[in-house]
Every structure is written in C-alpha cells, then in structure tokens.
Amino acid sequence: MKLPIFLFLWQLFSSMISVAKCFTCPLPVLVHNGHLKIRGKRNVPQIHSGRLSFFKQQLCEPDCDKISEGHNDPERSVTILQRGPHHIVVLKPPSVVCHHSGWTGSRSKLIRGEEPEIPMLQRVRDAIHDIDSRGQRDDEPSPRMRKVNLVHRLDRGASGALLLAFADDDEQRENQKSSTATLIEAMASPESIKTYVALVRGEGILHGVDFKQLGWFEETRAIKDESGQEKNATTWLNFVAGQPEASDDGIDRPRMSLVLARPKQGRWHQIRKHLNGLSHPILGDTTHGASKVNREWKERRNMPGERICLHLARLQLPPTEAAPEGIDVSSPIYEDMLKMLRDYAPDVLEKSLHVLQEEGILVDSKETYEVGRYTIPEECVQDDGSVQILAQGENFVIAKKPPTVVVHHSSWTGSRSNPKRRSEEATPMLQRVRDATGRRVNAVHRLDRGASGCLLFSFVGNTENHDGEAMPCQVTKALIDAMQHPASTKTYLAICEGDGTWNETDFRAQGWFTINKPVKDENGNVVENCVTDVRFVAGCTLPRTSSVNHNNLVGHKVSIIIARPKTGRWHQVRQHLAGIGHAIIGDSSHGRSRTNRAWKKERKLRKERTCLHLCRIQLPATDYTPSIDVSCPLSTDLMEMLDEMPVLLGDTRLILAQEGIQI
C-alpha cells in the first residue's frame, strides 16, 4: 500500500509546482512552453518555418510577433542569397528539414491538425518558379519548373546558407560531370571554407585553459557516424567571447559563449560532437547537449523548440565549372540567435562584433535579397472537416463537396475494424453535413471521390403515410425518384483531354448532342440504355511549357465540356467522354496515365483529383420538397487551373453563365 500513497503524493507535489509556475511566470511564457492548454491542446513551441517577415525589402530587425505568426502566414517565402547559372544559395530557417527522409516520415501520412512539413528542396523549387513567372504575359509560355539538388545539408534545427545545384542542367550534359557532382567535390576540397556561428553553454574555460585566448585552434577527434563507424574529423574553433553565470540588476546572465567553427570534413554532427567533447555543447542540441540546460533555455528564455543554435554564416568555395568565379556567400545571423544574445549576453555580442566583421559574417545587414514564394500543395493541407451549405429546406440540404473527399465510408476507405486506415481519410460528407445541421441525413446520390460540386441529402425524420404508419425514409425515396425523373437536370462541367475534334468530327460546332452508348458497371458487366447530353464549350491546344519536350504534345490539347446525364450509371459521364476520345483529366480509370502525370507535373492537377464538377441540380417538386434549383461555384483548384489557360476560358464565360454555371 506504500507505493500508491507515494505516487499520490508525487502527483500532488507536481500539481503544486505547476500552480506555482502560473504565479511566477508570465502567461505568454506558460502558453509558449506548453504549461497551459488552449482549447484542450497543449502548445508546442516552435519557430516559424517559412516566411521571414524581416526580409521584405532589406534585412532589418523584425517584429517578434510577426515571426511567431510566420508559420501560418499564407505568403510563405524563401530568401535567396545568391543565384548563378548552375547554383543557388538560400537562407534556411531553423526547424525546417532539407529534404524528406526517414526522420520526417512519409509524405502521404499526415497527422490531423498539423501543418504538412515542406522541405527546403521543395520550397526553393517553388520560389524559383515564382520569381521566374513574374512579369509573364498571358500569351507567353510559362517558365519551366527548375529542378534542384542539394549540395550539402543542414540539420533541422540549424540555420544558414544552403547550397543547391540546378539539376535540369545536369540532364542536358552528356559525358560531362554534373553541376551537382562538381559542387559537391568543391565543398569537400581543402580550399573550401564553411564558417559556422554557434552559441554554446560555458564561458570558454576548461581545466584552467581559456579558449578565448587561443584564437583559432584545431580540434581533432575521431567521431562515429550514423552506423557507429569511427572516422577522423578535424574542426577549427575560435571562442570569440564568453561570460560566466551572473545576475546583474535582476537580469539573468547565463553561462554561455559565442564560437566560430570551420569543419574540415563533413562528418555526421561533427561540430556538435567536437564542441560537446570540450564540455561546451551547443544550446538546443538534444542529441549531444545537456538536457537540463536546454529545458532551462526553452522554459525561462523562450528558446524555440527544435532549435539548435548553429548557423552557417559564410560559405566559400573555389572556382569550378559550375561556378567559374567561385562562391563566397554570407548569411546574416538569424534573428532568434541575435535576440538571445541581445537579451541575455549583450556584452558577448558587443565583444564579438569586431571579430565577426573581420571574418565577413553579417550581423545587421542592409543588403537587398531576392525573395520567392512557395506554396503548400492543396492535397497536403489538412482538412478541418467543415462543409459549405448551399441550400437547406425542411426535409433536404445541399452541400458543396470538395475534391478527394468521399461521400460515405465504404470498402474503399477500409472497414470499421481498421480504424488506422479510416483515420487517414478526410471526414466523409455524410458526417460533415450531419454535424453541420445537427440532424441525421441520408445521401440521395453520390459523387466520386475525385469529383466535386452539389451533393443532395435528405433529413431522416418520422414522416407518416396516409394511414399514420411511420415512414422514416420516405423523403429519401421521394428525392431519389425526383433525381431519376425526366424533368430533372444535373449539369456537370468537365475539363477533358482533346481539342474538341475526334475522328474528323468537330464536336465544338454541334452544340448539344446526345451520347447513347452502353457502359460497364463496377463488375465489368455491360449496361444498356445509358444516355448523356453533351456540349463542347471550348477546345484548344495550349502553348508548350519550356520544361516539356517540344515534340511531346501529351496534355497540351484540352476542352471544356458540359454534360447532363439522363441516367445514373456507374462512371457514366466519365465513360461516355472517354469513348469519344476526350477522357476527363485526372480520371485514373478511363483516362490516360501519361496525360494525368503531365497535368500533375506542369498544370497544378491535385492528387486523386478528377476534373469533374456538378455545377447545378434542378429537381421537380415532391410531396415533401419544393422544386429545387441550386448552383455550386467551381472549386478553387479548378479555377486556378482555368486561370492558367486564359486562351481556353476567354470565350466560354458567357456560355457557362447561360447554362447557370458559376465561375
């Protein structure tokens, strides 16, 4: 019985400590460090990973509030320090990985409620495309999406200059060494210099030796790599300034130093291990540092989570074929490290300024840098499970279905006994509408996962027939019958492959025409009596993008088509349009894989997206509902794709408006 009593007393003591913190720490500090919960969730401290709000026109001191909000700012950007014909150097922020790997997990598995992690490799690629696209006219071909390769890496928590090579140049070189390989060799050569700035625990004295008096000195010690194999490693170190622990006028002065480091090799965690071997671990280093010190800095001094106070401040490489004049780039010390020095070690910063200036390290830079924006792919954005209600009556509701969301759980989304698979699915429409209206609903019809548009539901109520018998699904049955009535109209808009001509037939000149051909059901059985009315609104051949082979026309011919199915067979519209040589773009079952791949790569087609949208539903009145005529605006992703094709969209707006289609 003693053990449970001990545990009870320990929990009581921990609770008292937590309460005491609430009276001794400011509220923002408690929230930042996770001691308090907001809306039932404990805050996880992290520095912004995208937009550098202080890189607008010049590099100047930022507003700390803006930095903390940068992670959620839609205008995410990448600061470019230097750009050449074959290379680019960017400023890597802390808490951002260079590329996806086993440390970051699978890109397809996202934790609900968390923003997807966009690595530097993708950010730089998008930023370059954003900069190259500026000033382009509508009639000009869009610039190619440049491919980049990492020349070296920085740890997730580190910051500073990151060098990448243009990979598309490598593809054009035959029997020549690629730019990536050339720059990697230059990075490993003895002539290259990589100067890091590190903030470490300790005042720069060990066993009576004052490192600050030594200037640059060599630290040679074998270190183990990820596999445990020892390798020789040498790092030049310069303890520029340090301070002992003190408390002056109530101001906290922790024991810390500013150190410059130049590794001669590129071993795994080389600088971090060598400084830890001198009993001066880098602040924030959770692998080789002091856990107690790191917790103290995070709890008492607001050091961001996942931050390692290591910054690659200057990168110098000898001349190569990829960079004939060599590379010499300085990366301004990141603002969070400067703030730590200004707040807790101002004397250390003041003593270091002269040495930092001599080493070509920027502290308060007034240079102007090129800034490009990067985007988070829409399919990676975490869905919040909300729904837009288009119309609602006493016995029905119509909602807007977004793409890649199923109408209801089925064998496609896994069984109830497999909660892991279902948890990875976005919330189905049935559940969203039920939660939004507070009433049980039945789906009157369905839309494919990749499609979007109007979705009709009936409210499940206790309706009665003429004899007073309960008929809970009578409204659903009535709406299903109305959906199949000849007077009902369902108007779809589809973006299809092809320019409107097929087998010497110009569909664009025919106006509305009818397709009456059998289709196959889910089991492959042929189903007769399948009718769809179709109208080709526009069709053209898009200009080639410069990144595509000029002899390859895959994905360049495109049409806008309106379809009105008179029967409701499985994939009826998709099969009928594919049968006349105009498969819907993104249709993985009846379309062309090469076309879909080209559109995903070049024209912003989302993963699992079928370019089919139910724009308008018109139903006759029933015993329980009035006549229905509801339109649904095009989804944002389709509008973005159409905006990239002004030649196609220009003359179609009037026709679409006449058909009741909102764009």
Side-chain angles (χ1 to χ4, degrees):
M1 295 297 294
K2 292 183 179 181
L3 184 59
I5 294 175
F6 172 76
L7 292 176
F8 171 76
L9 293 175
W10 175 255
Q11 291 176 354
L12 180 61
F13 175 75
S14 301
S15 301
M16 294 173 64
I17 293 296
S18 299
V19 172
K21 286 182 177 180
C22 296
F23 292 96
T24 58
C25 284
L27 179 61
V29 175
L30 291 171
V31 173
H32 178 84
N33 295 321
H35 295 306
L36 295 182
K37 293 183 179 181
I38 299 179
R39 295 180 182 175
K41 295 183 179 180
R42 195 174 295 277
N43 183 52
V44 180
Q46 58 182 349
I47 193 169
H48 69 299
S49 60
R51 178 172 177 258
L52 301 177
S53 56
F54 55 102
F55 283 109
K56 291 182 179 178
Q57 295 294 332
Q58 293 181 334
L59 190 68
C60 54
E61 293 186 18
D63 187 343
C64 298
D65 294 335
K66 291 182 180 179
I67 285 185
S68 63
E69 296 170 1
H71 185 71
N72 296 319
D73 195 309
E75 295 183 359
R76 299 169 175 87
S77 63
V78 175
T79 300
I80 297 176
L81 303 174
Q82 187 184 90
R83 181 175 178 181
H86 306 290
H87 77 280
I88 184 170
V89 184
V90 301
L91 175 60
K92 176 194 172 298
S95 73
V96 180
V97 294
C98 291
H99 62 89
H100 279 299
S101 65
W103 294 97
T104 58
S106 171
R107 280 173 283 186
S108 62
K109 295 181 179 179
L110 302 174
I111 300 175
R112 200 174 280 179
E114 288 190 0
E115 186 173 282
E117 188 165 25
I118 308 299
M120 289 302 300
L121 202 63
Q122 180 176 335
R123 296 184 184 202
V124 174
R125 181 197 65 195
D126 291 351
I128 295 171
H129 185 69
D130 172 59
I131 294 173
D132 293 344
S133 301
R134 295 171 186 171
Q136 290 285 324
R137 297 197 307 268
D138 293 340
D139 57 346
E140 292 181 342
S142 60
R144 60 175 173 169
M145 180 72 77
R146 302 295 302 270
K147 299 178 181 178
V148 290
N149 284 336
L150 287 168
V151 176
H152 68 116
R153 291 180 296 177
L154 293 174
D155 297 328
R156 179 201 293 267
S159 57
L162 185 65
L163 175 62
L164 303 97
F166 289 117
D168 40 17
D169 295 337
D170 299 344
E171 298 173 356
Q172 301 174 2
R173 295 189 173 194
E174 296 182 0
N175 302 323
Q176 295 184 12
K177 188 176 295 183
S178 67
S179 300
T180 306
T182 302
L183 291 173
I184 290 176
E185 288 183 1
M187 181 74 74
S189 70
E191 301 176 18
S192 67
I193 301 175
K194 301 174 286 293
T195 305
Y196 290 81
V197 175
L199 302 183
V200 302
R201 182 204 66 177
E203 56 188 285
I205 299 175
L206 179 65
H207 301 316
V209 178
D210 190 347
F211 297 130
K212 300 185 293 295
Q213 304 298 325
L214 301 179
W216 285 99
F217 65 93
E218 185 179 286
E219 173 68 9
T220 300
R221 181 179 303 181
I223 59 177
K224 294 182 179 180
D225 58 14
E226 299 97 321
S227 62
Q229 182 180 357
E230 285 194 349
K231 294 183 178 180
N232 293 328
T234 300
T235 304
W236 285 90
L237 299 173
N238 183 357
F239 280 70
V240 180
Q243 69 180 17
E245 186 173 4
S247 180
D248 299 332
D249 300 329
I251 301 176
D252 184 17
R253 296 282 188 256
R255 192 161 58 102
M256 64 179 296
S257 299
L258 187 148
V259 182
L260 300 181
R262 288 175 177 164
K264 305 305 293 182
Q265 299 85 17
R267 310 301 186 199
W268 182 63
H269 293 182
Q270 178 173 328
I271 298 176
R272 297 162 61 178
K273 290 186 175 182
H274 277 169
L275 285 172
N276 184 52
L278 295 176
S279 296
H280 283 73
I282 299 176
L283 298 177
D285 190 344
T286 57
T287 306
H288 314 289
S291 301
K292 181 179 179 181
V293 175
N294 293 337
R295 284 196 303 269
E296 180 182 330
W297 273 87
K298 292 177 182 178
E299 294 176 2
R300 295 178 53 186
R301 304 183 183 96
N302 295 338
M303 184 173 71
E306 293 189 333
R307 179 42 155 153
I308 300 174
C309 294
L310 183 66
H311 179 86
L312 178 50
R314 189 177 182 186
L315 181 62
Q316 299 167 275
L317 267 63
T320 61
E321 293 182 2
E325 298 180 358
I327 296 175
D328 189 352
V329 181
S330 293
S331 172
I333 298 178
Y334 216 79
E335 181 61 24
D336 63 334
M337 290 177 59
L338 284 178
K339 189 176 187 303
M340 292 167 64
L341 288 169
R342 293 188 182 110
D343 292 347
Y344 304 107
D347 295 339
V348 172
L349 178 59
E350 184 177 356
K351 294 177 183 178
S352 304
L353 289 177
H354 178 68
V355 177
L356 295 176
Q357 184 178 3
E358 288 183 343
E359 297 294 345
I361 296 174
L362 301 177
V363 178
D364 292 321
S365 174
K366 299 302 181 183
E367 295 186 21
T368 301
Y369 295 98
E370 200 172 26
V371 176
R373 293 180 299 173
Y374 72 92
T375 58
I376 293 181
E378 193 170 348
E379 65 267 18
C380 292
V381 177
Q382 286 297 311
D383 185 75
D384 59 1
S386 62
V387 64
Q388 179 181 350
I389 302 299
L390 301 174
Q392 183 173 343
E394 182 181 356
N395 294 312
F396 75 95
V397 60
I398 299 179
K400 181 179 180 180
K401 176 191 174 300
T404 71
V405 176
V406 295
V407 176
H408 57 81
H409 279 306
S410 64
S411 59
W412 293 97
T413 60
S415 62
R416 295 182 181 178
S417 60
N418 187 2
K420 182 178 180 181
R421 182 178 177 186
R422 285 198 170 185
S423 65
E424 295 171 359
E425 285 283 340
T427 306
M429 290 299 298
L430 198 69
Q431 182 176 337
R432 296 178 188 222
V433 175
R434 180 199 66 194
D435 295 343
T437 60
R439 298 175 62 181
R440 294 175 56 197
V441 293
N442 284 335
V444 176
H445 66 116
R446 291 181 296 178
L447 291 174
D448 299 326
R449 178 204 293 266
S452 57
C454 298
L455 195 59
L456 175 61
F457 295 87
S458 65
F459 288 122
V460 179
N462 294 322
T463 56
E464 298 179 352
N465 60 11
H466 299 291
D467 298 329
E469 298 176 351
M471 304 290 289
C473 297
Q474 196 71 9
V475 177
T476 306
K477 183 179 183 303
L479 286 173
I480 292 175
D481 292 340
M483 185 76 72
Q484 298 171 351
H485 194 276
S488 68
T489 303
K490 300 174 289 295
T491 304
Y492 289 84
L493 182 141
I495 303 177
C496 300
E497 179 185 14
D499 59 0
T501 61
W502 185 65
N503 287 347
E504 300 181 354
T505 302
D506 189 352
F507 297 118
R508 295 169 295 185
Q510 295 187 8
W512 283 101
F513 63 94
T514 301
I515 301 176
N516 190 349
K517 293 182 179 180
V519 299
K520 293 183 178 180
D521 62 12
E522 301 95 317
N523 301 317
N525 301 319
V526 177
V527 180
E528 302 288 344
N529 188 26
C530 304
V531 181
T532 304
D533 291 339
V534 174
R535 180 178 181 180
F536 278 69
V537 178
C540 67
T541 300
L542 299 174
R544 299 179 177 89
T545 56
S546 56
S547 60
V548 177
N549 186 348
H550 289 282
N551 297 322
N552 185 5
L553 291 177
V554 172
H556 286 281
K557 294 183 178 182
V558 61
S559 297
I560 296 178
I561 301 174
I562 302 175
R564 289 175 177 162
K566 295 302 182 182
T567 51
R569 312 302 183 193
W570 182 72
H571 291 184
Q572 178 175 317
V573 176
R574 296 162 61 177
Q575 293 190 63
H576 275 169
L577 292 177
I580 58 173
H582 286 75
I584 299 175
I585 292 172
D587 189 343
S588 58
S589 301
H590 314 289
R592 290 207 302 171
S593 299
R594 287 193 302 167
T595 301
N596 296 337
R597 286 196 299 269
W599 274 75
K600 289 176 182 177
K601 181 179 180 181
E602 303 291 338
R603 305 193 186 276
K604 301 181 180 180
L605 177 65
R606 290 181 55 178
K607 181 181 178 182
E608 293 187 332
R609 180 41 152 150
T610 305
C611 294
L612 182 66
H613 182 85
L614 180 50
C615 302
R616 188 179 182 186
I617 289 182
Q618 298 167 278
L619 300 180
T622 69
D623 294 338
Y624 306 96
T625 60
S627 59
I628 295 174
D629 188 351
V630 177
S631 297
C632 178
L634 287 183
S635 298
T636 304
D637 64 318
L638 290 183
M639 282 305 306
E640 289 178 352
M641 293 169 61
L642 291 175
D643 288 341
E644 297 288 332
M645 301 179 286
V647 177
L648 183 66
L649 189 60
D651 299 331
T652 63
R653 294 181 180 272
L654 180 59
I655 299 175
L656 296 177
Q658 291 174 350
E659 300 293 345
I661 297 176
Q662 302 177 21
I663 59 173

